[in-house]
């Protein structure tokens, strides 16, 4: 059934997958499922500060810059103009995945000639800027993403197309670029300019067959009625404009990033999938209202194996935040929701959902922009008994009564209530025994038709189990 389900939900046009929280919601696994029915899989923002892990036939593939659809031989994969690309990291990532069995990638990978370049210099600057901030550091991945986007905004950055113009001009600009930073950081910033220029001249020839005008490419694919899957990176609450600023990334991580980072017209977007975890996590600094700095947080972290794919850092863990989810939905307009890692909560005798914020006893009408205010909020929770059943080993058509009767899923979907549309379908997907690929299975029709589990805010609910 699930094959028909995803084929029906991958209409011609663009389908955008967006992280609804602070990242690490399981977008990679979900994109992997949708990519089986997609013609094009494209990334539109970020760099190698993001990470997805996809397991195929017991082999684990880690993707940071590469679109995770690259493991599907029928997919054309696009690195869009909205990304910042560290070429040494990209080539190392390709080589690493080749050793794990990735083949035929050269004929299926396209790099935008408008994408900006991340130099090793940017990565060094990233670390130095974090060091300067001391205790108030953002907690970046130190991959040079912020400094590269800063250079882009200051109009001093370098794009992929610059590698194929007048090389003397490129070399002069690069030397001036480095000199300006050395004036600020002095001896702390060490770089062999000649070696760096020589290295990029070689890498430019290596990637030359992959470089194309992706704006024209995307328009042709859409005009031909192709199914385009836009793979989001990071998440809404890390968006430069709408996230918990300044503890954010440097790109547009919302649905709008598909337009600015790929040149896709808004009218071409047919569906927006929000991927949300059954609890909340984040890495780095910044306010986190529902964070649990106690045994509950540690239990979630251990069961869910909450460690970053890119950095290996422990993720901060807390209860599901419906206030944050309403805010995320208001920005992105989700019409389909993918709820992940629900089974991580199987053993909890009591489960909480944050349903409101208060500051000094006064209820807040919306998610606050001021991080000082967010740090002071008192979260109002709704508490209810856990289902305490291993739901991941059950067939989809035999949803345990304790979960069916729990208010948890209705609370999650009610956060998308402004759309005022009942759920048409509710699917549960989980791994096949002995194989980490996702099993295709039937709908739980009894759950879908249950009055208590009508989903007021979205058209479709999909549940992905962790185990």
């Amino acid at each position: 059934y699930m094959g028909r389900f995803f084929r029906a939900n991958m209409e011609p046009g663009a389908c955008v997958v967006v992280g609804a929280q602070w990242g690490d919601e399981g977008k990679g696994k979900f994109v992997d499922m949708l990519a089986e029915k997609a013609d094009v899989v494209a990334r539109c923002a970020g760099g190698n500060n993001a990470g997805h892990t996809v397991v195929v036939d017991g082999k684990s593939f880690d993707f940071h810059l590469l679109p995770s659809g690259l493991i599907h031989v029928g997919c054309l994969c696009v690195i869009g103009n909205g990304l910042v690309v560290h070429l040494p990291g990209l080539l190392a990532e390709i080589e690493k995945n080749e050793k794990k069995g990735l083949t035929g990638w050269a004929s299926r990978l396209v790099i935008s000639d408008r994408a900006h370049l991340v130099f090793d210099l940017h990565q060094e600057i990233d670390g130095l800027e974090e060091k300067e901030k001391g205790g108030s550091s953002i907690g970046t991945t130190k991959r040079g993403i912020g400094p590269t986007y800063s250079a882009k905004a200051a109009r001093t950055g370098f794009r992929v197309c610059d590698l194929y113009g007048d090389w003397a001009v490129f070399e002069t600009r690069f030397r001036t670029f480095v000199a300006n930073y050395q004036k600020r950081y002095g001896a702390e910033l060490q770089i062999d300019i000649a070696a760096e220029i020589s290295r990029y001249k070689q890498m430019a020839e290596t990637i030359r067959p992959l470089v194309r005008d992706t704006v024209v490419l995307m328009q042709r694919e859409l005009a031909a009625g192709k199914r385009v899957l836009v793979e989001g990176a990071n998440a809404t609450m890390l968006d430069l404009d709408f996230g918990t600023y300044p503890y954010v990334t440097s790109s547009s991580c919302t649905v709008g990033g598909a337009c600015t980072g790929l040149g896709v017209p808004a009218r071409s977007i047919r569906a927006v999938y929000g991927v949300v975890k059954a609890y909340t996590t984040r890495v780095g600094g910044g306010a986190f209202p529902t964070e649990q700095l106690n045994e509950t947080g540690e239990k979630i972290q251990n069961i869910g194996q909450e460690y970053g794919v890119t950095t290996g850092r422990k993720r901060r863990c807390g209860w599901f935040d419906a206030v944050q989810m309403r805010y995320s939905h208001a920005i992105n307009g989700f019409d389909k929701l993918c709820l992940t890692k629900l089974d991580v909560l199987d053993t909890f005798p009591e489960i909480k959902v944050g349903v409101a914020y208060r500051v000094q006893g006064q209820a807040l009408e919306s998610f606050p922009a001021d991080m000082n205010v967010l740090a002071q909020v008192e979260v109002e929770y709704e508490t209810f008994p856990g289902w305490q059943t291993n739901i991941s080993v059950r067939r989809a058509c035999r949803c345990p009564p304790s979960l069916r009767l729990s208010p948890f899923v209705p609370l999650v979907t009610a956060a998308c209530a402004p759309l005022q549309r009942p759920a048409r379908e509710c699917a549960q997907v989980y791994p096949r025994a002995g194989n980490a690929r996702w099993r295709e299975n039937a709908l739980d029709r009894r759950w879908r038709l249950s009055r208590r589990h009508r989903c007021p805010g979205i058209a479709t609910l999909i549940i992905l189990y962790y185990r």
Side-chain angles (χ1 to χ4, degrees):
Y1 173 80
M2 290 303 293
R4 295 196 304 274
F5 173 81
F6 285 116
R7 190 179 300 113
N9 282 277
M10 281 296 294
E11 304 172 8
C15 169
V16 185
V17 176
V18 179
Q21 297 162 308
W22 276 276
D24 309 307
E25 300 94 348
K27 297 183 294 296
K29 296 178 179 65
F30 186 52
V31 166
D32 178 43
M33 296 172 64
L34 288 176
E36 293 183 10
K37 307 302 176 186
D39 301 304
V40 180
V41 177
R43 280 197 57 190
C44 62
N48 60 349
N49 58 332
H52 297 320
T53 299
V54 178
V55 182
V56 182
D57 296 329
K59 297 178 182 178
S60 177
F61 296 89
D62 292 334
F63 297 106
H64 301 277
L65 269 169
L66 296 171
S68 55
L70 202 60
I71 61 175
H72 298 287
V73 295
C75 273
L76 177 66
C77 293
V78 178
I79 294 177
N81 60 275
L83 272 78
V84 290
V85 181
H86 183 241
L87 289 184
L90 175 64
L91 296 175
E93 185 178 330
I94 291 172
E95 182 180 358
K96 180 180 178 181
N97 284 304
E98 272 187 317
K99 291 178 180 178
K100 294 181 178 182
L102 180 65
T103 59
W105 59 269
S107 62
R108 294 182 283 111
L109 179 63
V110 177
I111 302 172
S112 172
D113 56 359
R114 291 177 169 84
H116 276 249
L117 295 169
V118 180
F119 296 115
D120 289 354
L121 169 72
H122 290 121
Q123 297 183 341
E124 289 192 46
I125 293 168
D126 204 351
L128 291 171
E129 288 181 345
E130 283 287 275
K131 182 179 177 181
E132 283 182 345
K133 293 169 185 171
S136 59
S137 64
I138 303 299
T140 74
T141 59
K142 299 182 178 64
R143 299 300 173 94
I145 309 302
T148 306
Y149 276 113
S150 294
K152 177 179 179 178
R155 293 161 294 186
T156 59
F158 293 77
R159 300 193 297 176
V160 171
C161 61
D162 295 330
L163 296 171
Y164 306 105
D166 187 329
W167 192 255
V169 173
F170 179 91
E171 186 173 338
T172 300
R173 282 188 60 208
F174 186 76
R175 291 183 181 278
T176 303
F177 186 70
V178 174
N180 288 335
Y181 278 110
Q182 286 179 327
K183 288 178 184 178
R184 175 178 176 183
Y185 293 105
E188 287 187 287
L189 188 61
Q190 298 294 327
I191 181 171
D192 187 334
I193 297 177
E196 191 77 347
I197 290 173
S198 176
R199 185 167 66 138
Y200 268 83
K201 195 169 187 176
Q202 293 175 5
M203 288 188 291
E205 293 307 311
T206 301
I207 67 165
R208 183 186 288 271
L210 310 178
V211 177
R212 292 174 63 181
D213 184 338
T214 55
V215 175
V216 173
L217 172 67
M218 295 301 293
Q219 297 308 314
R220 286 176 179 169
E221 295 296 311
L222 289 168
K226 297 295 182 66
R227 295 180 175 90
V228 177
L229 176 60
V230 181
E231 178 181 356
N234 304 119
T236 300
M237 302 312 297
L238 296 175
D239 183 86
L240 182 60
D241 290 291
F242 300 109
T244 47
Y245 188 90
Y247 299 95
V248 294
T249 190
S250 303
S251 58
S252 178
C253 312
T254 59
V255 65
C259 300
T260 58
L262 283 171
V264 172
R267 65 183 179 183
S268 295
I269 297 175
R270 298 287 185 261
V272 182
Y273 280 99
V275 184
V276 56
K277 211 178 283 186
Y279 47 93
T280 311
T281 63
R282 78 170 300 177
V283 294
F288 183 1
T290 63
E291 182 174 15
Q292 299 297 298
L293 298 172
N294 49 32
E295 292 182 2
T296 297
E298 291 179 3
K299 183 176 179 181
I300 293 173
Q301 183 184 84
N302 291 329
I303 296 175
Q305 288 295 294
E306 294 297 345
Y307 302 93
V309 174
T310 299
T311 63
R313 289 183 293 181
K314 288 184 178 180
R315 296 171 186 150
R316 301 156 62 190
C317 299
W319 294 117
F320 183 84
D321 189 337
V323 179
Q324 175 271 314
M325 185 61 193
R326 283 195 294 271
Y327 173 70
S328 182
H329 173 62
I331 294 165
N332 294 291
F334 303 128
D335 52 7
K336 303 173 191 292
L337 200 66
C338 176
L339 177 63
T340 66
K341 287 194 166 184
L342 183 61
D343 55 326
V344 169
L345 304 180
D346 281 354
T347 61
F348 285 77
E350 182 179 87
I351 294 175
K352 295 183 179 182
V353 172
V355 295
Y357 289 170
R358 294 184 181 276
V359 175
Q360 297 179 352
Q362 298 294 315
L364 298 183
E365 293 184 357
S366 61
F367 195 89
D370 190 336
M371 289 304 99
N372 293 320
V373 174
L374 187 64
Q376 298 173 30
V377 300
E378 298 174 4
V379 181
E380 181 180 319
Y381 289 99
E382 184 162 329
T383 305
F384 45 88
W387 42 90
Q388 295 190 280
T389 302
N390 186 353
I391 60 175
S392 65
V393 300
R394 291 173 175 262
R395 292 180 60 84
C397 58
R398 299 185 185 278
C399 178
S402 54
L403 177 58
R404 190 183 303 119
L405 297 174
S406 171
F408 181 79
V409 172
L411 280 172
V412 171
T413 58
C416 300
L419 285 182
Q420 296 298 321
R421 292 190 296 183
R424 293 194 302 268
E425 298 169 290
C426 174
Q428 300 183 72
V429 188
Y430 48 89
R432 181 180 288 107
N435 191 326
R437 296 286 285 174
W438 300 105
R439 177 185 298 230
E440 296 186 358
N441 214 302
L443 285 176
D444 178 355
R445 298 186 183 280
R446 289 183 297 171
W447 191 9
R448 182 188 68 176
L449 297 175
S450 167
R451 183 177 297 277
R452 289 181 62 83
H453 278 77
R454 291 183 184 274
C455 307
I458 56 171
T460 304
L461 173 67
I462 300 160
I463 298 177
L464 300 189
Y465 294 148
Y466 174 56
R467 291 187 291 275

